[in-house]
Amino acid sequence: APRGAPAAAAKDSVAPAVADATSSVGSGERLLQPDASLALDQQSVGKLLTVWMVYQACGSTKLVQMAPKILKLFEKLRLSWLSNAVVRRTFFAWFCAGEKEREIVHAMRRLKESGIGSILDFSAEADLPEDATTAGGDLAEAARAHANVKADAFAKEYFHGMHMASQVPHAFAALKITGLADPEVLYRLSMPHQPLRDAFLAADHDNDGRVDYTQFKDTVLPAMPGGARVASPSGMFSMVDANGDGQVDWVDIQMALGMDNPLARPLYLSDGGAYGALESDFEDYERMVARARAVVQQAAEKGVRVMIDAEHTYFQPMIDHVALVMQREFNTGGSSQTLVYNTYQMYRTDALQRMTDDYERGVREGWRFAAKMVRGAYMELERGRAASLGYASPINPTLEATHALYDRGAAQLLDRIATAQQKQINNTRTQHNGEKKAGPCAKSDGRAISPGLPD
């Protein structure tokens, strides 16, 4: 698809979540017995033949690998008009909803009539530039200004996306955080996460998931770029140790030492080397969060649920952070509908632990955790980068391992949904003296889950 073209993906719009888990499913039967014919019965024979050819082409490894070269050749021969016409009528027509609002909304409504939910996704993700430099002075400021102008423009596109998604009931809209900030800022702010996590695990000698003050001071704190500059390690530990029991776990550390805590930001600041953030990154962080907040607020006002996309591992700590900040702000209150979902790539070896930690954080901070699980899309890039830079690959070694982790994650979320709903049913029956009956429940591997029951 052309870069920047909005697209409504023909995906199952059910995201596992402890809140509003199956609200976009029409019934328990549809959840358990999806009918593929619903997606095809309104298609003409000609379109089905085109689709068959598209999928055959996508299944050819050689053709997929050659595609960029073929397109460049057409461009060199000044025949881009021809290649664009072919792509537009085949691959783009099937995988993307359109380029104009009328086309996109029509496609979403057509899917809705077939019982298929939509996730409106504006393709605005970004990556680190291959020729990234450490330019300073006026050149760096000009690049920073350009990045913020670009992010502001992307935010406006997301506003438009929320408007389009609101025209179709129960639609989702995706949000890519790399479109709302300079990727290099995200990268620098994400840098300390893995060293901090590794230091915590190293300090936890008895593997009970907690560390004391000495372990925190001697091992955990020095892992941060600004850890050596902390004037009062005991004061920092007291800030992390909210319940004052002399022990802190990983969730305590994430809650207290996040970028949303101004007292913790000096820990992220570089000492002049390549590790850590620049002073200007903190201002750009505030701008990024403000953009995300404005987009999600627009979604809230229009009744659109937002799925924050997962992206490259070297940005993901900050993407997760923004997602959690948005969940804490918007997944609260009296509304029965959960608004913000975070995405977990289950091809990552740490995916289940991260999802478990984020759920626990939601419990402690009092907001509704919501998740979309995917397998992942950057496998070759992530493995290649890990090999070239000499660190362990963050990707599961086999497809089977990814499937297993996905299944474990789904089982964990379904268990929590079932438990939460049963608790609510029990509370409702108590309040109404048994007159209130639970709605029809879908049996999911022995679990009783009601599609229509709010969290």
Side-chain angles (χ1 to χ4, degrees):
R3 185 170 183 81
K11 301 176 182 177
D12 183 353
S13 61
V14 180
V18 173
D20 195 31
T22 53
S23 62
S24 59
V25 181
S27 67
E29 287 74 17
R30 179 169 291 176
L31 173 65
L32 293 174
Q33 298 176 351
D35 186 356
S37 66
L38 291 172
L40 303 174
D41 60 4
Q42 296 184 13
Q43 306 295 338
S44 66
V45 173
K47 180 167 284 190
L48 290 176
L49 287 173
T50 301
V51 170
W52 179 80
M53 288 188 290
V54 166
Y55 275 97
Q56 290 297 310
C58 291
S60 170
T61 302
K62 289 185 178 180
L63 182 58
V64 170
Q65 292 174 343
M66 290 173 57
K69 295 180 180 178
I70 294 173
L71 293 175
K72 286 182 179 178
L73 176 61
F74 272 79
E75 184 179 353
K76 185 179 294 186
L77 296 174
R78 297 187 178 182
L79 293 174
S80 293
W81 61 271
L82 178 59
S83 60
N84 288 344
V86 172
V87 170
R88 187 179 300 278
R89 288 168 174 75
T90 53
F91 298 93
F92 185 88
W94 185 248
F95 289 115
C96 300
E99 295 178 273
K100 299 179 180 179
E101 179 175 335
R102 178 181 55 81
E103 299 170 343
I104 295 168
V105 173
H106 174 73
M108 294 172 69
R109 286 174 175 163
R110 189 176 68 247
L111 290 170
K112 185 71 174 177
E113 291 171 358
S114 298
I116 300 171
S118 298
I119 306 172
L120 191 64
D121 194 346
F122 172 63
S123 301
E125 69 179 37
D127 200 355
L128 291 173
E130 294 181 3
D131 58 346
T133 63
T134 56
D138 294 341
L139 186 60
E141 279 302 311
R144 181 184 171 215
H146 174 73
N148 277 299
V149 169
K150 184 177 178 181
D152 287 337
F154 279 151
K156 291 180 181 179
E157 291 293 341
Y158 280 120
F159 292 148
H160 187 207
M162 300 305 158
H163 166 70
M164 287 189 286
S166 70
Q167 299 178 54
V168 180
H170 307 302
F172 286 88
L175 178 61
K176 287 181 168 62
I177 300 301
T178 56
L180 300 180
D182 183 347
E184 294 189 63
V185 172
L186 286 173
Y187 177 65
R188 288 191 292 268
L189 294 177
S190 296
M191 268 187 191
H193 176 84
Q194 193 58 50
L196 183 63
R197 175 68 176 170
D198 292 342
F200 175 82
L201 295 175
D204 181 19
H205 301 307
D206 55 5
N207 296 317
D208 68 345
R210 300 184 298 170
V211 298
D212 59 22
Y213 167 65
T214 300
Q215 293 165 328
F216 177 83
K217 175 176 67 72
D218 294 344
T219 306
V220 177
L221 202 54
M224 296 292 284
R229 298 191 299 267
V230 173
S232 175
S234 61
M236 186 69 67
F237 183 80
S238 296
M239 182 174 69
V240 179
D241 184 17
N243 64 2
D245 67 352
Q247 301 276 332
V248 298
D249 63 14
W250 178 243
V251 177
D252 290 327
I253 290 174
Q254 286 185 300
M255 289 170 58
L257 302 186
M259 277 292 298
D260 52 329
N261 180 4
L263 297 177
R265 291 183 187 176
L267 293 173
Y268 291 80
L269 193 60
S270 170
D271 62 359
Y275 177 45
L278 307 175
E279 286 278 5
S280 61
D281 291 342
F282 300 144
E283 182 180 344
D284 288 337
Y285 162 82
E286 294 288 355
R287 291 178 175 177
M288 170 182 63
V289 172
R291 293 182 189 109
R293 183 180 292 116
V295 171
V296 177
Q297 181 62 47
Q298 172 94 340
E301 293 170 0
K302 292 185 173 294
V304 176
R305 290 167 293 177
V306 178
M307 289 179 169
I308 296 181
D309 277 350
E311 302 185 54
H312 303 94
T313 55
Y314 38 92
F315 301 137
Q316 197 59 45
M318 192 50 52
I319 293 172
D320 284 341
H321 168 79
V322 175
L324 294 177
V325 170
M326 294 300 106
Q327 287 186 317
R328 188 174 64 209
E329 293 185 16
F330 291 93
N331 289 3
T332 56
S335 173
S336 63
Q337 178 169 288
T338 299
L339 187 70
V340 181
Y341 292 66
N342 196 12
T343 302
Y344 297 87
Q345 300 160 308
M346 304 311 286
Y347 73 168
R348 288 186 52 171
T349 56
D350 63 352
L352 186 59
Q353 185 60 55
R354 288 171 42 244
M355 191 166 69
T356 301
D357 291 340
D358 291 348
Y359 172 83
E360 175 62 23
R361 181 167 178 176
V363 171
R364 296 186 192 184
E365 294 183 335
W367 45 266
R368 292 192 294 274
F369 171 86
K372 178 181 78 170
M373 291 170 51
V374 300
R375 283 169 174 81
Y378 307 107
M379 183 174 65
E380 291 186 6
L381 183 150
E382 295 286 3
R383 285 177 173 166
R385 188 174 191 273
S388 65
L389 297 180
Y391 61 86
S393 172
I395 307 302
N396 288 320
T398 64
L399 178 62
E400 291 72 24
T402 295
H403 288 331
L405 202 62
Y406 188 101
D407 291 345
R408 288 173 60 194
Q412 182 183 100
L413 291 177
L414 288 169
D415 284 341
R416 285 169 173 162
I417 294 168
T419 300
Q421 289 192 348
Q422 187 59 49
K423 180 179 179 181
Q424 184 180 25
I425 290 170
N426 291 339
N427 289 341
T428 302
R429 285 172 175 164
T430 299
Q431 294 166 5
H432 294 270
N433 298 320
E435 296 177 3
K436 179 77 173 180
K437 294 183 179 180
C441 290
K443 292 288 183 179
S444 179
D445 195 23
R447 305 173 185 85
I449 298 177
S450 172
L453 185 68
D455 57 309

